[in-house]
Amino acid sequence: MHVHDLITDSATLANLCTRLSAAPFVCVDTEFMRENSFWPDLCLIQIADGNEAAAIDPKAPGIDLTPLLDLLVHNEEVLKIFHAGGQDLEIVYNLTGKTPYPLFDTQIAAMALGLGEQVGYSSLVDSYLGIQVDKGARFTDWGRRPLDARQIEYAIGDVTHLAVIFPKMLEKLRKTGRGAWLDQEMERIADPKNYANDPDEAWKRVRIPGRKPDVLGRLKALARWRELEAQGKDLPRGRIVKDETLADLAGHPPRKQADLARVRGLSAAWAANDIGGRLMAALQDAPPLPASELPARDDRKPGLGKDGALVADLLKLLLKIRSRDIDVAAKLLARTEELEALAAGQRDGLTLLEGWRFEQFGRDALDLVEGRLGFTVINGKLRMTRQESGA
């Protein structure tokens, strides 16, 4: 594979993108810094198609990234390959308001190919190529210029290895007939709504006990205020106010701005400064959270009861057995909340009762809940037995 020098000018980048636009797929990765900012600071973009690979410097003076962004979000003839690409997709979304499409995430594909949940990039490379990835440059300062040769070599390796691994994964998916298993998951991660920083949704990231509408209403107002402050100042949320302080303010709201001086986690200066005033304005008249927005109760098992909880435990055991038998990550087959819903009597809207999941797991799960399937121990080994008379 031909590896280019670091691309720092618009003409070279445009020519590269013209060539890559004819490729069946491109592997993409980014390096960024966000320890001191709200928005990820994009420092490097790596791309490869199996024939050539390049690293692009988005900080190069005057460089026009438009051809690259067009390739990623507008050219639907080229499949975009990522590994655990959530933050890469967020960066593209922040730049364009769109996500790369169509896309393929090798971490998700690994779930269907027996490599477990959330397999790391290094483990994937070792598994498919027998190569030990040099991790020494992972935590380097990508914002520093000039980048040295070791940094660039490390970064490009992420996409050159991926360009070799992806066809191998694709072939294995074809042989096992599991390619269709991934369609729904790939569509899910491609949804732009996953990457929009909606201030009105920010409260859902903050852990707080209880479900009191007035407390949660104040939390929603405060989280919205913090999100806007953090975005406007380009600072991490925690640099404005930490989550635990936000939750404390929602649960025990100060009556006047001067009381902020006594709030743990806030500077005494907030009792009189502008940001303290904006915090108080956010709290003032914050409406209670509507019933339609209230989170599920902590027990989250309406109608489940003690017996239902035991049935849910049996379903989890069945899931463990089945995921082991067919060598697929359990999380890809079914999620805990769906098992609990099935045990509680729900049948509609459960993905485990649809498509390939029903064939591989859902049918047996339903039979277990409805008394047509049981467990037995034969020669010290757990077996499932079908009770036809119970149908």
Side-chain angles (χ1 to χ4, degrees):
M1 187 182 303
H2 176 62
V3 178
H4 297 277
D5 293 332
L6 181 66
I7 293 178
T8 59
D9 68 280
S10 300
T12 304
L13 176 58
N15 289 334
L16 172 71
C17 292
T18 297
R19 294 192 301 274
L20 294 180
S21 66
F25 70 88
V26 292
C27 299
V28 186
D29 189 35
T30 65
E31 307 299 341
F32 55 89
M33 305 287 285
R34 72 182 313 167
E35 289 83 355
N36 298 308
S37 62
F38 180 90
W39 306 106
D41 178 19
L42 180 60
C43 300
L44 199 67
I45 307 163
Q46 306 92 268
I47 192 165
D49 70 349
N51 295 315
E52 58 181 321
I56 300 139
D57 184 1
K59 292 183 173 295
I63 193 167
D64 182 7
L65 297 179
T66 302
L68 176 63
L69 297 174
D70 284 346
L71 171 64
L72 294 179
V73 302
H74 293 305
N75 188 335
E76 296 190 5
E77 299 300 315
V78 180
L79 181 65
K80 290 82 180 183
I81 317 298
F82 296 84
H83 181 80
Q87 295 195 84
D88 305 310
L89 301 182
E90 179 190 358
I91 286 171
V92 175
Y93 176 84
N94 289 341
L95 291 171
T96 66
K98 300 177 182 293
T99 51
Y101 189 85
L103 65 82
F104 183 97
D105 192 307
T106 51
Q107 187 180 71
I108 291 176
M111 295 171 69
L113 295 174
L115 294 178
E117 296 175 15
Q118 295 185 319
V119 63
Y121 171 75
S122 298
S123 298
L124 185 76
V125 173
D126 186 21
S127 176
Y128 272 88
L129 305 180
I131 295 173
Q132 305 298 314
V133 175
D134 174 16
K135 300 179 182 178
R138 178 183 297 178
F139 300 110
T140 189
D141 181 359
W142 294 105
R144 176 175 54 82
R145 292 297 183 272
L147 294 168
D148 62 40
R150 181 168 176 253
Q151 286 178 297
I152 297 170
E153 181 183 4
Y154 166 84
I156 290 183
D158 285 352
V159 289
T160 55
H161 292 327
L162 215 54
V164 178
I165 291 170
F166 167 66
K168 293 178 181 291
M169 297 188 89
L170 195 59
E171 181 61 23
K172 193 171 182 182
L173 287 168
R174 284 173 176 155
K175 285 183 177 178
T176 57
R178 296 184 177 188
W181 293 15
L182 303 173
D183 291 345
Q184 188 177 35
E185 294 300 308
M186 299 301 179
E187 290 288 337
R188 179 181 60 80
I189 64 168
D191 187 346
K193 286 186 287 189
N194 294 325
Y195 311 101
N197 286 292
D198 184 350
D200 286 324
E201 298 292 313
W203 67 276
K204 295 178 181 178
R205 298 190 187 97
V206 182
R207 296 179 64 86
I208 188 170
R211 300 172 69 253
K212 292 182 178 179
D214 58 333
V215 173
L216 292 178
R218 289 192 291 268
L219 181 66
K220 181 177 180 178
L222 287 168
R224 183 180 192 280
W225 160 79
R226 182 180 69 170
E227 199 77 357
L228 295 174
E229 292 278 350
Q231 290 180 11
K233 293 179 170 63
D234 195 21
L235 288 172
R237 296 178 185 92
R239 293 275 187 91
I240 305 297
V241 179
K242 293 189 180 300
D243 282 4
E244 53 266 31
T245 304
L246 213 63
D248 188 43
L249 287 165
H252 306 90
R255 293 185 178 181
K256 55 186 182 299
Q257 186 175 348
D259 294 338
L260 294 178
R262 295 191 295 273
V263 175
R264 183 178 179 180
L266 294 184
S267 165
W270 284 45
N273 65 13
D274 289 346
I275 193 168
R278 293 194 295 272
L279 185 156
M280 293 303 297
L283 268 178
Q284 188 175 16
D285 299 326
L289 195 70
S292 60
E293 293 185 42
L294 285 175
R297 295 186 179 278
D298 290 341
D299 54 21
R300 294 205 299 175
K301 301 183 181 82
L304 197 54
K306 291 183 179 179
D307 288 340
L310 291 174
V311 173
D313 287 340
L314 286 176
L315 285 170
K316 292 170 190 175
L317 176 59
L318 178 64
L319 176 62
K320 187 175 182 179
I321 293 170
R322 181 52 49 83
S323 63
R324 181 196 64 196
D325 287 348
I326 65 174
D327 202 17
V328 65
K331 188 177 178 181
L332 190 62
L333 278 174
R335 299 179 185 274
T336 298
E337 55 267 28
E338 283 205 316
L339 299 181
E340 292 172 349
L342 185 67
Q346 184 176 334
R347 299 293 182 266
D348 296 331
L350 300 180
T351 59
L352 67 86
L353 298 182
E354 301 170 357
W356 70 270
R357 288 183 174 89
F358 178 72
E359 297 298 325
Q360 297 296 327
F361 173 70
R363 179 183 283 112
D364 284 347
L366 193 59
D367 285 348
L368 178 64
V369 169
E370 296 182 352
R372 294 184 293 274
L373 191 71
F375 294 100
T376 189
V377 177
I378 302 174
N379 297 326
K381 293 187 177 181
L382 195 62
R383 296 282 186 264
M384 288 175 288
T385 58
R386 196 162 293 281
Q387 309 294 326
E388 296 297 344
S389 61

